[in-house]
Amino acid sequence: MSAAEPRLPDLARVTPVDTVGVEERVARFRSRSIKTASKVAGLRLALSMIDLTTLEGADTPGKVRQLCAKAQHLHERMADLPTVAAVCVYPTMVSVARDALGASGIEVASVATAFPSGQAPLSVKLDDTRMAVEAGAAEIDMVIARGAFLAGDYDTVFDEIVAVKAACGDAHLKVILETGELGSLDRVRQASMLAMAAGADFIKTSTGKIKPAATMPVTLTMLHAIRDHYLETGVQVGMKPAGGISDSKTALHYLVMLNETLGAEWMTPRWFRFGASSLANDVLMQLEKQATGRYQSLDYFSKD
Amino acid sequence: MATKSTLAFEPGWQYDPAPESTDHVSLRDSYGLFIDGEFTPAASGKTFETINPATQTPIASVAQAGSEDVDRAVAAARKAYDTVWSKMKPAERGKYVFRIARAIAERAREFAVVESMDGGKPIRESRDIDIPLASAHFFYYAGWADKLNYAFPGASPKSLGVAGQVIPWNFPLLMAAWKLAPALAAGNTVVLKPAETTPLTALKLAELIADVGLPPGVVNIVTGEGDTGAALVRHPDLDKFAFTGSTAVGRDIMRTLAGTGTPYTLELGGKAANIVLEDAALDQAVEGIVNGIFFNQGHVCCAGSRLLVSEAVAEPLLERLRARIDTLIEGDPLDKNTDIGAINSEAQLARINEYIDIGRAEGADIWQGGSDAPQSGYYCRPTLITGVAQSNRVVQEEIFGPVLTVQTFRTFDEAREKANNTPYGLSGGVWTDKGSRIFKMTGALRAGVVWANTFNKFDPTSPFGGYKESGMGREGGLHGLGAYLDLGMGAGA
Amino acid sequence: MSGERARLDVAKTYKLYIGGKFPRTESGRYASFERGDGAGAVNVCRASRKDFRNAVVAARGAVAGWSAASAYLRGQIIYRIAEMLEGRAAQFASELHAEGVAEAAAAAQVEASVDRLIHYAGWTDKYTQVLSSVNPVASSHFNFSLPEPTGVVAAVLPERPGLLGLVSVIVPAIVGGNTVVALASESHPLSAVSFAEVLHASDVPGGVVNLLTGQRDELLSHMAGHMDVNALALCDVSADAATAAEKAAAENFKRVRRFDDVDWSADASASPWHIEAFQEIKTTWHPVAN
């Protein structure tokens, strides 16, 4: 789509959200029973949507290389497994990850913009972003300025996203709303509309550093915002719940939610990601269980 | 640049069948009448078959009670009232009702499966709504048994005696609970007639009641068709009558009971408006509309069968509603993923289809969404009827199926007027983000239950019942308790 | 009284009370009523079904305003009725006496009627609290039930006591926000008509109470059958007539309350449960969340 000048939307006109209603809808998704072949298909899809993540102060090149190895060799005993979508690291680790992943087809995603707090001058955030892109990140996960958003200074939040988007060049921009700090689903929906209007390629729930991180009600609210944006502009935006999704059942519930909210077009790693560190092994255990009929032990799955 | 985009749900990720297991269910081939604590055949020996509407196959044969059997059941209830139940300490009476609540909870899954087999409702609903609510209803009223003196200021409440009760086929066990729990807790004995197309969970309940040791005759269950119900309502030895069903039958009952002095409560039909104002939380409104009309295939007296939507948001709302309806899964009631099950009976399906034809003949637009319905069994796809006015029959008359009419309005007052412009007054819904408008609209609707920013919610503590032709009296909560008591406030009170 | 009086009495014309006005019956008919105190005969209107129909139109028109009036205002107005009645106690006692009630009993009945009005004036802002509930539902909703007026109540008033019976039946209905079309006692109609004057002088909006005099046998079937009447109060109506009325009432599901052989002088004959008789309980659900 040719980009018209991005304009800050009137957040007062964003469709309101009723939290109890959202929770009831989520309960319906959770009541879906996913069995047999559809379960295997769902698990494999979930696996392919994972952004395998390490975002620790203690991250080292060694740790990142191990993670990249795991990304490429999820579970060698099972044939024909998909790979995860990306490995997500801090900007200083992008080049290490890029080298380690080579031609695997797995992307390198980097957090940026003074992750996780975002409390830094715009110039620092932009430098952070450019550095990650130059080091080989194909995807940038930025954080919004929650303080400014909560203070009602929407222009600042919006302008920052526009500026970071420009700094990304060809890299895809995921905008982290840090929904656990926004206080209500109404604010989540408003922030989603703001981020998409500013040029987000993906919107993402959380840094993983704040609880609650991703929840199904928050994600559903963001999916509705994505749907509204799509119906309004024709522009498809991706969704990434991150943090707190660690088991297969939950991942399948998220996919049910995606399937029944945005439909077939979004059911691909191109438009949906899970930001998670321990989800992959649980999905692998479930796939093994489906194949063998035996419940599994983590002792048989490499940790990273 | 703003091309018109639409969502696509086909070909999506299709869920494999997830059938609820049925191997734990015990059903007999035939059931007698439950009178004085025992199952006995009808005096005439007549029986009828109850069939599974999803497969059109018979499940069990059931005794058809005649007036002789009704006499016997009322006599058993009278004897139990006089000799046991009215003499029992209220706290002990309450403990029996608590037992029923707990026993239903223990056997919940079996009841859920039988309910879905017999009535066609999705197992998700019978499992998550009907059966748990039935148990909760007994649990709530059980606790009232020894607290009646605290319930009604200044009154000296006493039980009435023998209650006759007739219930419909849309929520078979839940309606039995709504009827039995307050009656028993208040100290009455009961003769209950379940609907002829859905007698099984009531008969399973009879087994359960025997198992928990309720004294014989306190609860009697007579199965049969309309004639059986008519024999019950005409019985001269009743002290109370309670009915849930159609407005037409309710009117007959009121005529029959005229002059007898027998108190009665009636829960009848409805044609509820679900009103979406322009500032509504649209996605939750869509969900509430779906839940309002497609819950239990629309076989719900309080269904939100008339959508009234502000012209300002009609287009985006309907677009989202159609997309949502397209994700509904219609099919085997026993599949855990089924959203819309089977229509309860062949007759009801014919009636629904007749209304859809009427709508078409009236010039309305008919749209049907959702997944493809199974080829056999009684199914009706979720249906929207647009291009209709208040004067259309499909807008005025209760269809009792998964059929929603859509009208638009311009102002608050127009919405209120359209909503109230009906002889019914059971329920209503309003969707708006503004608190002051909620209470203005909920106050203005002439209906007994009003859901604001939600729809089709039920709770044992929450009184339910209609204005105008939707009935009289309340069931549930404190007000539902009063319907089974003589408050001792002198004539007329 | 003696023939020496210099001035001729001005006799009152007993008319109907419909929509805040005092029309004669449209039918032009009357019933002659012999005063019990020997003062001769008076004529009372014999209302027709058309008078009843007109009264229902007036009562329906008054529902919206009266049911929306604040409880405080309704209390003030009903208290005002009591004040007006108290001020005209002698007249009412005399009329009751004219209807054959012994003098002492007539005075006592007027006092009891005033006191009953005071009793119910105090209920207007309390019955809602007594009859309502907040229901602790298991889901995340605020849920409450409160009474609302049924609408238009048609009442066949007790034959006796003429005034206290009238007050005891009509007032709880209007306390609850309903409007009323009442058929006065056939044998004791005079105080009913005079009571209309009291209502008229008490800021009761026109149409809230409409009083007819006439014959039960003629009017009851129309009262029971009218599709815009929401409820029926039947006082001391014969079993056969009541049965027929209840059958007719089924056509639009009128709420029917029968009051037979009630001792209206007893304190127990006034209670919030008489208000409740013509109330509908409305339950409202609302989500609770951030």
Side-chain angles (χ1 to χ4, degrees):
Chain A
M1 283 258 141
S2 73
E5 183 77 10
R7 290 241 304 268
L8 175 65
D10 179 359
L11 298 190
R13 294 189 54 194
V14 172
T15 307
V17 183
D18 182 77
T19 303
V20 173
V22 171
E23 286 166 351
E24 287 172 4
R25 181 73 182 109
V26 164
R28 285 286 292 270
F29 295 130
R30 287 185 188 280
S31 76
R32 288 281 190 232
S33 180
I34 307 300
K35 301 281 188 201
T36 57
S38 57
K39 183 171 186 179
V40 171
L43 290 170
R44 290 174 60 89
L45 183 60
L47 205 56
S48 74
M49 290 171 159
I50 291 174
D51 283 1
L52 208 54
T53 302
T54 182
L55 293 168
E56 302 296 333
D59 283 348
T60 59
K63 162 74 184 174
V64 169
R65 281 190 206 101
Q66 288 170 46
L67 194 69
C68 292
K70 173 72 175 177
Q72 297 169 83
H73 309 283
L74 283 169
H75 190 53
E76 292 296 331
R77 280 206 303 271
M78 291 191 81
D80 301 327
L81 282 177
T83 64
V84 296
V87 168
C88 183
V89 295
Y90 270 116
T92 48
M93 294 296 154
V94 169
S95 59
V96 176
R98 187 61 275 156
D99 288 348
L101 291 170
S104 64
I106 301 170
E107 303 284 6
V108 177
S110 172
V111 297
T113 72
F115 181 94
S117 75
Q119 294 286 14
L122 178 59
S123 58
V124 173
K125 294 181 180 179
L126 294 177
D127 283 347
D128 202 21
T129 305
R130 285 187 204 104
M131 192 207 127
V133 173
E134 281 162 18
E139 301 174 1
I140 297 296
D141 291 20
M142 73 167 287
V143 292
I144 65 163
R146 283 89 74 192
F149 183 83
L150 292 171
D153 183 2
Y154 306 122
D155 286 313
T156 294
V157 184
F158 184 82
D159 293 347
E160 271 194 11
I161 299 171
V162 172
V164 173
K165 168 80 175 168
C168 280
D170 290 336
H172 278 190
L173 176 63
K174 306 195 196 100
V175 177
I176 302 171
L177 308 180
E178 196 63 307
T179 54
E181 289 185 339
L182 297 186
S184 74
L185 294 181
D186 279 314
R187 297 299 254 164
V188 168
R189 190 149 180 168
Q190 290 164 6
S192 301
M193 296 309 287
L194 180 152
M196 289 186 289
D201 297 304
F202 262 70
I203 51 177
K204 175 177 169 183
T205 59
S206 320
T207 61
K209 305 299 181 190
I210 293 289
K211 282 191 173 19
T215 65
M216 287 184 68
V218 158
T219 304
L220 179 60
T221 301
M222 293 168 73
L223 292 176
H224 282 146
I226 289 171
R227 191 252 352 251
D228 283 356
H229 187 73
Y230 175 67
L231 294 178
E232 180 84 10
T233 66
V235 176
Q236 204 170 346
V237 171
M239 174 70 210
K240 179 177 173 182
I245 304 165
S246 57
D247 63 86
S248 305
K249 192 168 185 181
T250 305
L252 289 175
H253 289 154
Y254 271 85
L255 289 182
V256 165
M257 179 161 70
L258 181 67
N259 190 40
E260 297 186 25
T261 306
L262 295 180
E265 290 284 307
W266 268 263
M267 294 289 284
T268 142
R270 172 70 187 82
W271 296 112
F272 194 83
R273 298 285 178 84
F274 290 106
S277 51
S278 57
L279 174 62
N281 270 348
D282 196 69
V283 172
L284 292 167
M285 287 206 298
Q286 286 301 317
L287 283 169
E288 190 80 64
K289 152 77 173 59
Q290 288 300 116
T292 64
R294 286 188 294 273
Y295 293 107
Q296 298 296 304
S297 159
L298 272 174
D299 285 355
Y300 297 85
F301 296 80
S302 67
K303 203 154 172 57
D304 50 18
Chain B
M1 81 152 244
T3 54
K4 187 63 197 164
S5 306
T6 52
L7 300 176
F9 295 96
E10 300 280 341
W13 179 33
Q14 303 297 319
Y15 313 137
D16 285 325
E20 177 68 42
S21 67
T22 56
D23 54 2
H24 57 95
V25 173
S26 95
L27 274 176
R28 306 186 206 170
D29 293 335
S30 67
Y31 286 88
L33 310 169
F34 185 67
I35 296 175
D36 209 12
E38 288 182 3
F39 281 98
T40 58
S44 66
K46 283 187 189 162
T47 63
F48 62 97
E49 288 192 320
T50 182
I51 70 156
N52 181 335
T55 61
Q56 297 167 252
T57 53
I59 307 173
S61 84
V62 176
Q64 182 162 349
S67 57
E68 203 177 320
D69 304 300
V70 170
D71 284 347
R72 212 153 53 81
V74 173
R78 174 64 60 196
K79 188 174 107 221
Y81 180 76
D82 290 342
T83 61
V84 181
W85 202 240
S86 65
K87 296 192 157 60
M88 192 180 289
K89 273 177 65 180
E92 292 299 300
R93 203 168 69 217
K95 281 160 66 182
Y96 275 110
V97 183
F98 274 125
R99 272 193 182 189
I100 297 172
R102 299 297 261 187
I104 292 173
E106 281 171 15
R107 303 182 195 182
R109 192 56 62 92
E110 184 186 21
F111 271 101
V113 171
V114 174
E115 198 74 298
S116 285
M117 287 169 67
D118 203 20
K121 66 172 59 199
I123 186 73
R124 183 187 64 77
E125 291 178 8
S126 49
R127 180 196 64 203
D128 296 349
I129 298 167
D130 291 63
I131 310 303
L133 269 181
S135 173
H137 217 83
F138 280 105
F139 199 87
Y140 170 76
Y141 277 110
W144 269 122
D146 58 353
K147 303 170 189 69
L148 301 179
N149 288 328
Y150 300 97
F152 303 100
S156 5
K158 288 185 181 56
S159 58
L160 295 166
V162 176
Q165 304 178 324
V166 173
I167 58 172
W169 44 261
N170 55 347
F171 296 91
L173 185 73
L174 184 57
M175 289 301 106
W178 279 29
K179 293 283 181 288
L180 291 172
L184 297 179
N188 306 283
T189 59
V190 173
V191 178
L192 174 94
K193 188 197 94 70
E196 63 269 25
T197 62
T198 55
L200 289 181
T201 47
L203 292 165
K204 296 283 297 175
L205 181 65
E207 294 176 336
L208 178 150
I209 280 170
D211 289 349
V212 302
L214 196 72
V218 172
V219 171
N220 305 275
I221 295 178
V222 291
T223 45
E225 299 178 351
D227 289 349
T228 310
L232 185 56
V233 70
R234 280 197 302 263
H235 201 287
D237 198 29
L238 295 184
D239 302 298
K240 160 81 186 181
F241 195 80
F243 171 75
T244 296
S246 72
T247 288
V249 174
R251 189 175 281 118
D252 286 344
I253 289 170
M254 196 170 161
R255 287 186 183 124
T256 303
L257 294 176
T260 63
T262 306
Y264 51 88
T265 41
L266 305 170
E267 302 283 3
L268 309 175
K271 190 75 181 177
N274 204 355
I275 304 167
V276 182
L277 299 171
E278 60 276 7
D279 64 339
L282 285 190
D283 290 296
Q284 287 73 58
V286 164
E287 210 49 38
I289 294 162
V290 166
N291 196 38
I293 188 62
F294 302 125
F295 174 53
N296 198 28
Q297 296 73 249
H299 302 326
V300 185
C301 46
C302 55
S305 50
R306 288 186 292 147
L307 173 62
L308 299 179
V309 54
S310 162
E311 285 186 19
V313 292
E315 195 184 325
L317 180 91
L318 290 175
E319 180 176 18
R320 284 155 180 76
L321 178 60
R322 288 193 180 98
R324 173 68 178 99
I325 291 172
D326 271 336
T327 67
L328 292 171
I329 299 172
E330 182 165 21
D332 180 5
L334 286 177
D335 190 303
K336 290 177 230 177
N337 289 324
T338 292
D339 296 308
I340 301 184
I343 299 300
N344 184 264
S345 66
E346 189 173 14
Q348 187 59 26
L349 180 60
R351 180 184 152 91
I352 294 166
N353 284 333
E354 189 186 329
Y355 270 111
I356 292 173
D357 289 342
I358 289 170
R360 200 175 278 120
E362 285 178 319
D365 297 316
I366 312 288
W367 178 90
Q368 295 190 304
S371 63
D372 290 335
Q375 292 303 305
S376 65
Y378 312 132
Y379 287 95
C380 176
R381 292 179 70 179
T383 303
L384 291 188
I385 304 186
T386 54
V388 287
Q390 199 77 13
S391 52
N392 287 102
R393 276 186 68 191
V394 288
V395 172
Q396 293 175 346
E397 297 173 22
E398 186 177 40
I399 298 173
F400 224 62
V403 180
L404 178 70
T405 62
V406 182
Q407 296 168 267
T408 59
F409 62 84
R410 295 156 299 170
T411 63
F412 183 96
D413 283 342
E414 188 184 351
R416 174 185 54 75
E417 249 177 55
K418 283 192 158 91
N420 285 336
N421 183 204
T422 165
Y424 292 114
L426 187 50
S427 68
V430 56
W431 298 83
T432 167
D433 206 36
K434 190 170 175 182
S436 53
R437 301 175 88 192
I438 286 173
F439 291 108
K440 183 73 180 171
M441 187 60 90
T442 57
L445 292 179
R446 297 294 290 161
V449 185
V450 183
W451 289 288
N453 292 328
T454 185
F455 211 97
N456 270 348
K457 291 286 180 301
F458 310 94
D459 192 277
T461 67
S462 177
F464 180 96
Y467 286 28
K468 304 195 280 185
E469 295 203 3
S470 289
M472 47 186 85
R474 293 294 173 268
E475 294 188 308
L478 177 61
H479 298 83
L481 182 66
Y484 284 94
L485 290 166
D486 172 5
L487 297 186
M489 295 307 300
Chain C
M1 302 295 149
S2 76
E4 293 156 36
R5 283 189 57 172
R7 141 169 217 287
L8 186 66
D9 285 344
V10 178
K12 179 156 103 182
T13 308
Y14 285 87
K15 299 203 282 189
L16 307 179
Y17 183 52
I18 298 175
K21 296 191 166 23
F22 292 91
R24 290 193 171 85
T25 167
E26 62 79 37
S27 68
R29 303 173 309 177
Y30 68 96
S32 194
F33 183 83
E34 195 68 30
R35 288 183 65 113
D37 55 4
V42 292
N43 294 325
V44 176
C45 286
R46 185 178 149 200
S48 67
R49 61 187 163 83
K50 286 186 182 170
D51 293 318
F52 172 71
R53 177 201 63 191
N54 295 342
V56 171
V57 171
R60 173 60 60 196
V63 167
W66 182 244
S67 62
S70 72
Y72 179 69
L73 178 62
R74 291 204 306 269
Q76 293 278 312
I77 289 173
I78 290 166
Y79 191 90
R80 175 78 177 162
I81 303 172
E83 288 179 337
M84 294 293 99
L85 184 59
E86 176 94 0
R88 294 169 68 171
Q91 178 205 337
F92 276 87
S94 142
E95 276 171 343
L96 288 171
H97 181 54
E99 289 168 344
V101 180
E103 279 186 41
Q109 190 184 147
V110 176
E111 284 173 6
S113 300
V114 172
D115 290 352
R116 184 133 300 167
L117 280 157
I118 300 292
H119 174 79
Y120 277 118
W123 267 122
T124 57
D125 50 8
K126 297 171 191 68
Y127 76 87
T128 306
Q129 292 173 310
V130 173
L131 302 179
S132 294
S133 60
V134 170
N135 312 308
V137 296
S139 56
S140 186
H141 294 91
F142 181 64
N143 179 294
F144 58 93
S145 299
L146 47 75
E148 290 186 346
T150 300
V152 174
V153 180
V156 176
L157 297 175
E159 271 304 297
R160 60 184 61 80
L163 180 63
L164 181 58
L166 177 155
V167 167
S168 298
V169 172
I170 288 178
V171 175
I174 64 170
V175 162
N178 297 286
T179 63
V180 177
V181 178
L183 177 61
S185 164
E186 251 181 88
S187 54
H188 296 62
L190 301 188
S191 51
V193 179
S194 295
F195 190 73
E197 295 157 14
V198 168
L199 293 169
H200 199 65
S202 308
D203 296 329
V204 178
V208 171
V209 178
N210 305 274
L211 284 164
L212 307 178
T213 49
Q215 297 179 355
R216 291 175 166 205
D217 289 350
E218 179 185 351
L219 293 177
L220 180 53
S221 64
H222 300 291
M223 298 171 86
H226 198 302
M227 294 297 279
D228 207 26
V229 169
N230 302 107
L232 205 53
L234 302 178
C235 304
D236 304 324
V237 171
S238 72
D240 287 351
T243 300
E246 285 188 53
K247 282 189 173 157
E251 193 58 35
N252 70 333
F253 293 89
K254 288 180 189 70
R255 284 68 173 130
V256 183
R257 290 297 172 122
R258 289 179 59 183
F259 302 92
D260 294 323
D261 304 319
V262 177
D263 176 7
W264 294 109
S265 65
D267 286 346
S269 69
S271 85
W273 303 103
H274 286 77
I275 303 171
E276 193 259 359
F278 299 116
Q279 297 289 302
E280 303 292 324
I281 299 298
K282 175 184 280 179
T283 297
T284 302
W285 292 70
H286 195 283
V288 178
N290 168 23

